[in-house]
Every structure is written in structure tokens, then in C-alpha cells.
Amino acid sequence: MLERIRELIRGKLGELPFEVNFSDPPAGGEGRGHLNTNAAFPLAKQISASPLKAAEELKKYLEEKGADFFSKIEVAEPGFLNIWLTPEVIREELEEIVEAGEKWGTLKHLDKLSARARVIVEYSQPNIAKPMHVGHLRSTIIGDALANILEFAGYEVIRWNYLGDWGTQFGNVIAAYKLWGDKHEVERAPVEVLAGLYARFHEEMKKDPELEERGREEFRKLETGDKENRELWEWFKEESIKELNKIYALLDIKFDEWISESFYEKALPSLIDSLLKKGIAKESEGAVIVPLEKFNLPPALIRKSDEGTLYLTRDIANLEYRLKEYKADSVLYVVDNGQSLHFQQLFAVAEILRLKGDFHHIKFGLVLGEGLKRLSTRAGRHIALLEVINEAVERARKVIEGKQSKMSNEEKEEVAKVVGIGALKYNDLSQNRMADIAFDWDKMLSLQGNSAPYLQYTYARLKSILRKAENIPVFEAGAIEKEADLRLILKLAFFPEVIEEVSKNYLPHQLANYLYDLARAINDYYEKEPILKAEPGLRTARLHLVKAAAEVLKTGLGLLGIKTVERM
Ligand code: ARG
């Protein structure tokens, strides 16, 4: 429906490079029609008239061309159009929504493509032999949501976990392990013990500078394939991955690709050579750099004077590889704000190398403690993630404990998990990712506010209505004519719009906010309108509407990585 109206308006705008956007008025704004558009503003420029005049003209045009679409069009200051749709058009939309079922929201124009654009979404990316920190948790949650949304929209998505498993620090870990390590200890709690050894190494290095050389030597041996060091490193990696997988299993996160930093090591000498030969890189005080003055950026250091390569060097090789071997059309790097410069440099080098594709650093802010205080580096970065996740589930259990006595313990357990983890994810995804976010447990778990439990609860209530209805007769939209029904259908009509927006701007909070709006509209609707007790024709139509609304909630939450339960 919205596409058809968009096409109509486009007919008037001609080739104007302008995206026709719609919004539906917020609750209480019913006097502003069903849809609003600002399409008259670019038209005003084109015909050199005031926006108000242009709006008048667009109104006339639409009334003529779309007589059976619109029941009323009003011009509003300073040049907006308020549009009322005919009940038939909205009823048809519900028919389409019901027919699409679970697929409602996928983008039809992408569906029709023979070859879909391929997007690599890189997220999580923790480092081995170190605990995963809250920044990695945000990346995991945001990246998973974006990958889900893009895939649902119709893109081909590759989910990539790029582990940090290379660099001189692993020489230190190996050296520390050889000095003080214990196999059984590492097996008992690999990441904790290895990180502890690494920290001790750093401490002792202050007193004993020789350790530095020792660490470097162990890394050199690792690089040149020394058997013992290679085996140690592989073991550290294996143990670390086992631990990471526990977190991923709890959060229900999956990856298609695990190619990590170490994979690119072998390709680096020839990469650096070719950059030198092409005159893109140059030697400077024994190191190799790529000057980036043109981009107003500090030079990219790609080889240190001690021959060591860098994080950035590996990322250049990585990007080339993804384009060549995976034929990626775009690559999204979901990494915290703190690495902005790194990605600016990487994309600048990509431009010099004429690497073709759409590359984006999907940035996000910090996680703050209660009261918006910055978590101190120590406490914050090393907050044990498993503990945070367990705490979310524990608190969710208390919230539902009081509500449902009829549930079996098993069911309660499952609901606590779904609600707790949902709350954790939604807290992140409902806020603009660029902002710093806080852990405010009460808000996260509130059954009233903008929280996962509120949305999950709304869904469960809809399901309970549907259960009570038992057999629902075949859909017939005819009985629907009340404004309350039409408005709710319109809300559902906006779902594909939101998916399209988010798959362009990579801001999942817009989907979260849409779902919250939808949930409020639904709650408002069934407090006022009878569903099960409506007269038969209307009852059937409304049950289908409720079912469609439940489906959009479930699909939308699912895209955010959040599960639903049938009762709560
Ligand atoms: N492992 C890195 C870290 O923990 C993040 C990797 C980000 N991705 C990338 N392609 N550089 O800081």
C-alpha cells in the first residue's frame, strides 16, 4: 500500500532525488490523518513556489490520480500533507499482511532480485586468552540484530567473528605460562588463568625488564612455527573458544565464519611489499607507513621497525580477502567508538587501493554503571559477562515469580531465561547505539515501560486471546470499518518501512521503538475494543488482526535476537 502511494507521489516529483517518506501520526494525533508526508518540500524547490503552494498542487494531483486511495487530503503548515486513506485500501492491506504471514516485513524489491547483495557483518570479535568484556557484548548484541534484520530484509548475510588471536602479546602469554603456568589450572578456568598469567607478566616486567625480550622471543618462535609454541597457542585458543561458546549459547548467537587475525599473518609480507612497490607505502625511520595526509589522517603504520606487523595491517589483508574470496558487496564492522581512527585509516587505505564496496564502521558507545557513572576500566572491562547474564536471568525469575503460579518449574525456568536475556539485549538495542548505555535493572525488567518484558508480555496476552478463540474462521476483512481497527492495521503496514530504514541506516533502535509503539497501540486497542465478544464477522476479522499483530511482534523481537513465550 505504502509503495503504491509512494509511486503515485513519485509520478509528480519526476526525477527529483528525494526519498518519499511517510509517518503515521502519534497517538492523540488522529486529527492529522492516517499518513503524513513532506514530499511537497522538494517539489516547492523544483517549481519555485512556496511549500504551501506546492502542497496544494500535490494535493490536487493526488486527488485526481488516487481518487480510490484517499478519502481526504489536507494541507498543513508549512507544507505537509495529511492523508486519510479509504477503509477499502486499509482492508486490502490487512489482507496482504495476513497472506504474507511470517514473511510480512521482508522487502519485496529485494525478493525479486536474482542476485542478492552480499553483506559481511563482523561482530563480537573478542580476543583469546582474555575475558570477553562489555564492549564485546554490545558488539555481539548489535551485530546479531543487524545481521538478522538484513537477512530478513532480503540480503545475503555472512556472520563473521574475527577473533583477536595474533600479536606480540601472545609471546608474553606463552612466556608467562612457561614460567609460572600449570596445565590443570588452565584447564579448570582457561581464560581467567591465562589472563592472570598475562597480568602477572606485565607486573613483573616492571621489575625485570628482561622479560620483555623473553616475550618477544617467544612470539618470534610462534611466528616461525616453533612446534611447542604453536601447540601452546592452539591450546589457548581452543580453550578460549570453548568458554566463548558458553556465552554464545546462552545468548543464542551463531556465526558462519570464524576466520581470525592469525589467518592473515602469512599474507602480510607480500602485501607490504606490493604496497611499497606501488609507491603507496614508504619506509620511515625503519618502519613502513602509508601516508594519509590527503585524508587528514595520521599515517597508517603497517610494519614496525622491528619487522612486526600490526592490527591495521591484518585488517587490510582481511578486507582484500573478503572482497576477493567472498565477493562481499559491503562489510559492516560492529566495533566500539574507540576504534574510529583505526577504521578511518583502514577505509582510507581501501580507497587508495581502489577496493570496491560499501564499508561501514558500525560504532557504539560505552556501558555505564548505575547512575551513568563510567565503569572504571578494571571493573568495567573485566566485569564477568557470565555473571551479568546470570544476574539478568535471576532478576527476571523474581519478576515472574509473583505473577504465574500455575507454571511448572521447568516452564518458569525457560521464561526467566527468555525474559532476562531479552531484557539485557533490549536494553542495548532500544537505545541509539552511538549513545553510552547504562545497566538499570529495574527499568530493564519493568513490565510497564519500554522494555523487553513489556513487549513479551503484550505478545503473550495476544496469544492468550487467540487460544481462547480456539478455531478461527477463514479471514474476511469486510466487517472492518472502525477507525480503531484501521489505525492498528496502519501500524502493521509500517513494519516493512522500518525494516527498510534500518537496513539502510543500521540503527536497530528504530525497530525497537517501532515495536514499543506497536505494543502500546495494541494494548490500547484491546482495552477499548471487544475482540472475542465482538459480533461474528467482526470477531473473525479482529482475531486475524490480533494474530497479525502478534506475528509482527514476534518477528520483530526475533530480529532483535529476543525470544517470546506463549504465556507469561
Ligand atoms: N579484537 C578487537 C578488539 O577486541 C576487535 C576487532 C574488530 N574488528 C576488526 N576487523 N578490526 O579490540
Side-chain angles (χ1 to χ4, degrees):
M1 173 187 76
L2 294 175
E3 285 153 64
R4 271 147 72 209
I5 300 172
R6 181 173 282 125
E7 253 168 60
L8 262 181
I9 295 178
R10 273 248 146 259
K12 180 72 184 170
L13 297 184
E15 290 305 301
L16 273 184
F18 176 75
E19 268 184 53
V20 180
N21 286 322
F22 300 111
S23 57
D24 58 337
E30 286 76 10
R32 285 168 27 214
H34 293 135
L35 292 178
N36 311 118
T37 180
N38 59 353
F41 290 89
L43 183 65
K45 283 216 187 87
Q46 192 188 40
I47 61 174
S48 339
S50 70
L52 219 47
K53 259 235 147 66
E56 284 295 345
E57 194 169 324
L58 187 56
K59 169 180 145 110
K60 228 183 281 152
Y61 173 85
L62 291 177
E63 280 168 349
E64 213 171 277
K65 296 268 172 187
D68 40 346
F69 264 109
F70 310 119
S71 60
K72 183 163 91 177
I73 301 176
E74 264 178 20
V75 171
E77 293 274 359
F80 295 103
L81 287 187
N82 297 338
I83 298 173
W84 279 259
L85 302 163
T86 64
E88 293 83 69
V89 166
I90 300 182
R91 278 200 291 267
E92 268 171 37
E93 182 73 353
L94 180 58
E95 270 162 29
E96 209 173 302
I97 295 172
V98 168
E99 195 180 323
E102 285 177 353
K103 286 194 83 184
W104 180 246
T106 55
L107 304 182
K108 285 192 212 136
H109 56 277
L110 294 182
D111 232 21
K112 284 183 209 130
L113 294 179
S114 57
R116 292 151 189 267
R118 187 174 294 173
V119 189
I120 290 177
V121 186
E122 191 210 278
Y123 56 102
S124 197
Q125 320 112 316
N127 304 312
I128 65 164
K130 263 191 185 177
M132 184 165 165
H133 60 64
V134 282
H136 297 129
L137 177 66
R138 287 206 74 184
S139 169
T140 307
I141 292 173
I142 296 168
D144 177 56
L146 286 175
N148 295 338
I149 293 165
L150 289 165
E151 196 166 80
F152 178 71
Y155 293 92
E156 192 185 323
V157 173
I158 299 169
R159 298 156 186 264
W160 196 310
N161 192 6
Y162 181 64
L163 288 185
D165 62 351
W166 204 249
T168 42
Q169 69 271 31
F170 294 104
N172 295 351
V173 181
I174 292 173
Y177 177 77
K178 286 184 178 172
L179 282 168
W180 315 298
D182 175 272
K183 188 162 188 279
H184 297 293
E185 270 295 284
V186 173
E187 273 163 353
R188 182 183 60 80
V191 168
E192 189 192 317
V193 170
L194 291 175
L197 286 173
Y198 181 70
R200 174 165 173 197
F201 195 82
H202 255 251
E203 248 345 276
E204 307 226 354
M205 214 156 71
K206 288 183 201 145
K207 288 175 276 166
D208 180 2
E210 252 165 44
L211 284 181
E212 193 176 342
E213 185 39 44
R214 202 161 168 158
R216 209 174 291 145
E217 179 53 28
E218 295 294 0
F219 185 62
R220 210 168 295 136
K221 279 164 73 186
L222 176 62
E223 270 183 309
T224 48
D226 173 81
K227 193 160 170 277
E228 186 189 7
N229 282 12
R230 194 77 202 175
E231 277 171 7
L232 279 175
W233 173 80
E234 264 158 21
W235 176 49
F236 296 161
K237 183 166 170 178
E238 222 170 89
E239 294 292 335
S240 301
I241 290 178
K242 269 191 221 157
E243 217 155 296
L244 291 171
N245 275 335
K246 285 186 204 153
I247 295 179
Y248 295 142
L250 270 174
L251 297 177
D252 200 22
I253 302 290
K254 294 193 177 66
F255 298 99
D256 302 310
E257 202 48 89
W258 286 77
I259 292 178
S260 56
E261 282 193 48
S262 61
F263 176 80
Y264 298 99
E265 188 57 15
K266 293 225 165 52
L268 299 189
S270 67
L271 170 73
I272 295 169
D273 270 355
S274 98
L275 290 178
L276 282 167
K277 273 207 200 91
K278 288 183 194 151
I280 290 171
K282 65 175 193 200
E283 310 230 6
S284 161
E285 296 167 35
V288 177
I289 61 165
V290 179
L292 298 173
E293 288 112 358
K294 253 198 354 209
F295 299 86
N296 256 324
L297 292 169
L301 180 60
I302 59 171
R303 193 173 75 199
K304 292 187 280 189
S305 50
D306 69 1
E307 301 274 296
T309 59
L310 296 106
Y311 179 52
L312 181 57
T313 331
R314 290 187 280 280
D315 253 326
I316 299 169
N318 173 9
L319 182 53
E320 280 193 324
Y321 183 80
R322 286 169 173 178
L323 299 175
K324 191 160 162 266
E325 300 296 325
Y326 285 78
K327 309 263 182 294
D329 298 292
S330 70
V331 185
L332 309 185
Y333 297 85
V334 187
V335 185
D336 69 276
N337 282 332
Q339 296 196 24
S340 290
L341 177 61
H342 171 79
F343 286 103
Q344 283 171 25
Q345 290 179 312
L346 174 62
F347 300 159
V349 174
E351 199 176 318
I352 298 174
L353 286 171
R354 298 212 179 82
L355 299 185
K356 275 203 199 59
D358 228 352
F359 315 128
H360 298 278
H361 176 195
I362 308 296
K363 304 175 197 181
F364 55 84
L366 302 167
V367 180
L368 304 173
E370 302 257 352
L372 294 182
K373 275 202 297 280
R374 190 177 171 142
L375 291 175
S376 71
T377 311
R378 241 162 221 297
R381 290 178 74 86
H382 295 297
I383 243 181
L385 285 192
L386 277 174
E387 266 167 43
V388 174
I389 297 170
N390 288 334
E391 180 162 1
V393 175
E394 200 47 56
R395 285 173 182 260
R397 188 176 294 131
K398 292 211 181 91
V399 172
I400 51 172
E401 192 68 31
K403 289 197 78 75
Q404 282 280 2
S405 45
K406 279 179 280 170
M407 277 186 199
S408 69
N409 282 343
E410 220 180 2
E411 192 177 353
K412 271 188 194 153
E413 205 48 42
E414 175 61 19
V415 174
K417 221 175 121 186
V418 167
V419 170
I421 288 171
L424 193 68
K425 291 185 178 181
Y426 191 84
N427 180 53
D428 200 314
L429 295 169
S430 56
Q431 310 185 53
N432 187 321
R433 61 176 161 78
M434 299 295 285
D436 296 338
I437 63 163
F439 275 135
D440 180 340
W441 290 111
D442 291 335
K443 190 167 156 255
M444 280 159 75
L445 287 159
S446 153
L447 286 167
Q448 326 292 347
N450 188 2
S451 67
Y454 172 71
L455 296 174
Q456 289 165 322
Y457 186 56
T458 305
Y459 172 78
R461 278 177 85 180
L462 295 183
K463 291 303 277 197
S464 126
I465 296 175
L466 294 169
R467 270 195 306 273
K468 282 186 197 137
E470 289 173 2
N471 292 323
I472 306 175
V474 184
F475 178 61
E476 250 289 3
I480 282 189
E481 52 193 19
K482 257 191 111 169
E483 197 59 22
D485 298 280
L486 300 179
R487 296 263 168 193
L488 187 56
I489 299 169
L490 262 175
K491 272 261 176 287
L492 301 180
F494 268 93
F495 186 46
E497 294 276 306
V498 177
I499 296 298
E500 173 137 40
E501 278 287 298
V502 178
S503 56
K504 281 184 197 150
N505 63 22
Y506 312 120
L507 293 172
H509 76 279
Q510 293 187 347
L511 173 58
N513 291 348
Y514 164 79
L515 295 174
Y516 176 51
D517 249 23
L518 173 63
R520 282 197 308 184
I522 292 169
N523 283 310
D524 195 47
Y525 173 78
Y526 70 52
E527 261 159 40
K528 293 189 184 131
E529 304 295 333
I531 296 165
L532 291 166
K533 295 205 172 89
E535 51 86 18
L538 186 59
R539 180 182 186 270
T540 302
R542 284 187 165 172
L543 284 169
H544 282 279
L545 175 54
V546 163
K547 188 161 170 258
E551 223 145 63
V552 169
L553 273 183
K554 183 179 180 154
T555 305
L557 284 171
L559 294 178
L560 298 178
I562 298 170
K563 292 186 180 155
T564 43
V565 286
E566 297 302 297
R567 50 182 197 158
M568 213 174 125

